[in-house]
Amino acid sequence: MKTRKIGPFDVSAVGLGCMNLSHAYGVPPPRPVAAAVLHAALEQGITLFDTAALYGFGANEALVGEVLATHRERIVLTSKCGMHGVNGQRVIDGRPDTIRSSVEASLTRLRTDVIDVLYLHRLDPAVPVEDSVGAMAQLVQQGKARALGLSEVSAATLRRAHAVHPIAAVQSEYSLWTRNPEIAALQACRELGTAFVAFSPLGRGFLGGKLRSVQGLEPKDIRRAMPRFAPEHFAANLPLLDAFDQEAASLGCTAATLAVAWLLHQGDDIVPIPGTARPEHVRDLALAPRLPLDAATLRRLDALINPRTVHGARYNAATQAEIDTEEF
């Protein structure tokens, strides 16, 4: 596995997003299957594992902590604060006292004394980012975090936060069909020496090539509230997937491998963190750094799937109001 840099860390060029082992896409896989996904990632040379206090309202951190505790020295462990569950409800809270107590709980669940990269999961509009990052910087000074990151923030917010404490990574959605980071965030990261960690590089599963109908999505699957997965938009997007599958077939790889490889070709400072709930799919993700894409292939992919050809917004209005990223 090739490596890339996040702050002081050398990490596998592809990490593992652990969210869907406990959260978001309907009923999570049974614990033995979730553990098998984590072990498969280790076997494929993946060293970057990403979780959050929010995922499963602590259940994902507990899973990652239990399964990976004995491998702690060989992995880079990241988690997020500032958004968590309160009485069964998702709450954004960037107040310093909340951040401190949340991280203490995360450390316990993760079975570690330090989080390698601690992200602010969402910007709290009621709290200046300087206050939230200031509290996180104190945790670095106390040895409870090694580096800091931000999630779903604008270039302006990144610069404000970076003035308080160096920001090692910005994490936002980035894929062929979500190009928002190309507006300003990627450039700001490059100016500041901040790595860009791309979540949902498979387009919430769309670019994996297996999802051909939204009728079977489980009632609690968060994609049911995403406009791109509304039946009319999804049907309009399916021809893009057919052409994308043909590109993957011509290269002798799966659609998932191609989607992640495209991201890796957007810059050496980009680290995708795809997720999966099936151990057998981990190898497809880990193969992406070894897939060369020539300039002609990259041009075809860019022309095929981009903001002009994709139907539907990535978030509904309520969720869109909670994020700080630039929009087309």
Side-chain angles (χ1 to χ4, degrees), residues 269-286:
D269 52 350
I270 295 172
V271 182
I273 51 168
T276 181
R278 300 181 65 174
E280 62 270 24
H281 288 170
V282 174
R283 183 174 179 272
D284 289 340
L285 307 177

Side-chain angles (χ1 to χ4, degrees), residues 14 16 20 36-37 40-41 44 46 202 208-211 254 256-257 260 274-288:
V14 174
L16 184 72
N20 59 350
V37 170
Q44 291 294 333
I46 291 174
L202 302 185
K210 306 296 184 184
L211 184 64
T254 66
T257 301
V260 177
T276 181
R278 300 181 65 174
E280 62 270 24
H281 288 170
V282 174
R283 183 174 179 272
D284 289 340
L285 307 177
L287 284 173

Side-chain angles (χ1 to χ4, degrees), residues 218-297:
E218 296 180 20
K220 292 186 177 181
D221 192 312
I222 62 172
R223 290 172 292 188
R224 285 190 169 275
M226 294 178 174
R228 286 181 188 172
F229 291 90
E232 65 277 13
H233 290 312
F234 190 82
N237 287 324
L238 273 179
L240 303 178
L241 186 57
D242 293 334
F244 187 67
D245 276 345
Q246 291 174 9
E247 288 284 352
S250 72
L251 293 166
C253 69
T254 66
T257 301
L258 180 57
V260 177
W262 177 87
L263 264 174
L264 292 169
H265 280 74
Q266 303 313 300
D268 292 339
D269 52 350
I270 295 172
V271 182
I273 51 168
T276 181
R278 300 181 65 174
E280 62 270 24
H281 288 170
V282 174
R283 183 174 179 272
D284 289 340
L285 307 177
L287 284 173
R290 288 181 268 168
L291 180 66
L293 301 177
D294 61 26
T297 300

Side-chain angles (χ1 to χ4, degrees), residues 7-318:
F9 305 106
D10 291 313
V11 303
S12 53
V14 174
L16 184 72
C18 300
M19 178 184 76
N20 59 350
L21 298 178
S22 308
H23 183 86
Y25 296 134
V27 178
R31 190 219 173 270
V33 174
V37 170
L38 296 172
H39 284 131
L42 287 171
E43 291 165 4
Q44 291 294 333
I46 291 174
T47 62
L48 176 65
F49 292 83
D50 181 88
T51 182
L54 175 72
Y55 302 158
F57 293 175
N60 194 246
E61 286 183 324
L63 168 72
V64 170
E66 179 184 353
V67 176
L68 298 182
T70 58
H71 305 281
R72 183 66 183 90
E73 297 306 312
R74 61 184 283 205
I75 68 172
V76 174
L77 181 61
T78 77
S79 194
K80 308 177 194 72
C81 61
M83 185 161 66
H84 53 278
V86 177
N87 297 323
Q89 300 296 316
R90 186 186 63 164
V91 173
I92 296 173
D93 189 342
R95 293 175 296 175
D97 285 348
T98 303
I99 285 173
R100 284 188 282 266
S101 61
S102 174
V103 171
E104 290 294 344
S106 291
L107 290 169
T108 298
R109 289 190 292 264
L110 290 167
R111 303 189 185 191
T112 187
D113 57 0
V114 61
I115 295 168
D116 293 320
V117 182
L118 175 66
Y119 291 93
L120 183 66
H121 204 158
R122 288 290 186 274
L123 176 67
D124 185 340
V127 180
V129 70
E130 291 85 355
D131 292 354
S132 298
V133 172
M136 295 163 68
Q138 292 177 348
L139 294 169
V140 174
Q141 295 169 0
Q142 295 166 7
K144 296 177 181 179
R146 292 192 170 108
L148 300 184
L150 304 172
S151 178
E152 291 276 38
V153 297
S154 64
T157 298
L158 167 60
R159 291 190 174 97
R160 287 172 55 193
H162 194 79
V164 175
H165 187 279
I167 301 299
V170 164
Q171 182 176 139
S172 287
E173 183 175 357
Y174 189 25
S175 69
L176 269 165
W177 84 338
T178 297
R179 305 290 193 91
N180 303 67
E182 296 173 1
I183 301 172
L186 271 175
Q187 182 59 38
C189 284
R190 286 164 179 163
E191 291 172 5
L192 298 172
T194 299
F196 191 92
V197 175
F199 75 74
S200 294
L202 302 185
R204 304 284 183 178
F206 178 80
L207 297 173
K210 306 296 184 184
L211 184 64
R212 293 286 175 165
S213 170
V214 294
Q215 301 304 318
L217 293 180
E218 296 180 20
K220 292 186 177 181
D221 192 312
I222 62 172
R223 290 172 292 188
R224 285 190 169 275
M226 294 178 174
R228 286 181 188 172
F229 291 90
E232 65 277 13
H233 290 312
F234 190 82
N237 287 324
L238 273 179
L240 303 178
L241 186 57
D242 293 334
F244 187 67
D245 276 345
Q246 291 174 9
E247 288 284 352
S250 72
L251 293 166
C253 69
T254 66
T257 301
L258 180 57
V260 177
W262 177 87
L263 264 174
L264 292 169
H265 280 74
Q266 303 313 300
D268 292 339
D269 52 350
I270 295 172
V271 182
I273 51 168
T276 181
R278 300 181 65 174
E280 62 270 24
H281 288 170
V282 174
R283 183 174 179 272
D284 289 340
L285 307 177
L287 284 173
R290 288 181 268 168
L291 180 66
L293 301 177
D294 61 26
T297 300
L298 290 169
R299 284 194 298 269
R300 286 197 305 274
L301 295 175
D302 281 334
L304 174 64
I305 304 177
N306 61 63
R308 296 179 301 279
T309 62
V310 172
H311 292 256
R314 70 179 181 124
Y315 285 142
N316 61 31

